[in-house]
Amino acid sequence: HHPAPWGTQHPRIAAAVGFVSGLLRTRGCVSEQQLQVFGGALREALAEHYKHHWFPEKPFKGSGYRCIRINHKMDPIISKAASQIGLSLPQLYQLLPSELTLWVDPYEVSYRIGEDGSICVLYEATATKPGSSYGMLTCKNQMMFGRTSPSKNYIMTVSS
């Protein structure tokens, strides 16, 4: 049972949209109704954007194209969805991190805030059990499950 590869309900798109909507929500200036509209517009845009750039058999092919990036320059996909709810670019810059990279790949959705922030996984599909793992992993959980080895200073602080 394979879901249609490109519906707007695609779990990876849902994870990416949920993440960006969540960032807007935490700032509290956007109503739930606006968030719904924003999420819908972003889902449509991403599904369209990724349609011909998705290669599950080569997960990293097209990764750069699929990457959503805010680097003191707003990603056009986000700004377009935001314009649907009347958010201007200056408002977006206030609501979202000025450095954000969001990678949407066939087996993983991950993000990094800041140019040298750590990469956190939002969605992970396990190749062994397709469709069964909707692990929404946060950085905190990753540390707890030891998925990422803690940094050197982290270890030093603990042992001193």
Side-chain angles (χ1 to χ4, degrees):
H1 163 74
H2 285 295
W6 278 115
T8 49
Q9 295 313 311
H10 201 278
R12 291 147 196 77
I13 288 187
V17 169
F19 174 68
V20 179
S21 302
L23 287 175
L24 291 176
R25 180 181 284 119
T26 53
R27 304 310 288 263
C29 338
V30 185
S31 72
E32 279 302 314
Q33 194 185 354
Q34 283 177 302
L35 283 171
Q36 295 287 319
V37 175
F38 172 79
L42 190 56
R43 266 200 300 275
E44 297 282 312
L46 289 177
E48 190 52 45
H49 185 64
Y50 296 158
K51 212 160 40 186
H52 306 296
H53 294 268
W54 195 260
F55 312 94
E57 65 288 356
K58 301 190 199 113
F60 299 107
K61 185 180 175 188
S63 184
Y65 176 86
R66 290 190 303 268
C67 163
I68 294 175
R69 197 156 155 67
I70 302 171
N71 180 10
H72 305 290
K73 193 161 124 264
M74 189 56 60
D75 192 290
I77 293 182
I78 292 183
S79 53
K80 210 167 106 187
S83 67
Q84 306 266 317
I85 57 169
L87 280 181
S88 65
L89 268 180
Q91 285 172 304
L92 270 183
Y93 284 121
Q94 286 181 330
L95 294 168
L96 295 172
S98 58
E99 301 270 359
L100 168 69
T101 312
L102 186 59
W103 292 275
V104 183
D105 292 323
Y107 296 107
E108 192 174 88
V109 177
S110 53
Y111 70 92
R112 184 182 63 189
I113 290 179
E115 274 308 288
D116 31 41
S118 55
I119 293 177
C120 302
V121 176
L122 285 172
Y123 169 92
E124 195 169 28
T126 42
T128 46
K129 296 185 299 211
S132 62
S133 137
Y134 278 73
M136 289 298 219
L137 300 170
T138 61
C139 310
K140 229 190 245 117
N141 294 354
Q142 282 186 313
M143 294 295 280
M144 283 159 50
F145 293 121
R147 288 173 45 84
T148 47
S149 48
S151 68
K152 221 185 243 131
N153 359 355
Y154 175 77
I155 294 169
M156 284 162 59
T157 341
V158 171
S159 58
S160 58

